[in-house]
Amino acid sequence: MDSERHFGLGLEPVLTTSELAEYLGVQAQAIYDLRAGGRGPSGIRVGREIRYRVSDVVRWLDGLHEPETPVIDHEAKR
């Protein structure tokens, strides 16, 4: 089945561990390590494989977002 047909069925796209690693620019082992440490995105076990819903990956990435550091205007303090 192609992804357009899946979308037509209302199924959300999923990524393999390799696809997620490639998207993030890391080795697949980094994803395995994150999951083993309880710090990775939630996954869905399909047999022996793990798949990641795109929405779960986005939510996980949003949770990793670091707060912006405020810019201090030293001139305004004078």
Side-chain angles (χ1 to χ4, degrees), residues 56-73:
D56 290 337
V57 171
V58 169
R59 188 173 20 263
W60 172 69
L61 288 171
D62 285 346
L64 297 177
H65 193 271
E66 294 182 358
E68 291 185 30
T69 305
V71 177
I72 300 172
D73 184 358

Side-chain angles (χ1 to χ4, degrees), residues 20-38:
L20 178 56
E22 182 179 342
Y23 172 75
L24 296 174
V26 299
Q27 298 292 320
Q29 187 61 49
I31 304 300
Y32 293 123
D33 292 345
L34 286 168
R35 283 187 47 82

Side-chain angles (χ1 to χ4, degrees), residues 7-46:
F7 188 72
L9 293 173
L11 298 175
E12 181 178 355
V14 295
L15 302 171
T16 65
T17 300
S18 296
E19 290 169 334
L20 178 56
E22 182 179 342
Y23 172 75
L24 296 174
V26 299
Q27 298 292 320
Q29 187 61 49
I31 304 300
Y32 293 123
D33 292 345
L34 286 168
R35 283 187 47 82
R39 299 180 329 266
S42 61
I44 303 165
R45 185 167 295 281
V46 180

Side-chain angles (χ1 to χ4, degrees), residues 71-78:
V71 177
I72 300 172
D73 184 358
H74 295 287
E75 293 296 322
K77 288 186 172 184
R78 293 181 186 194

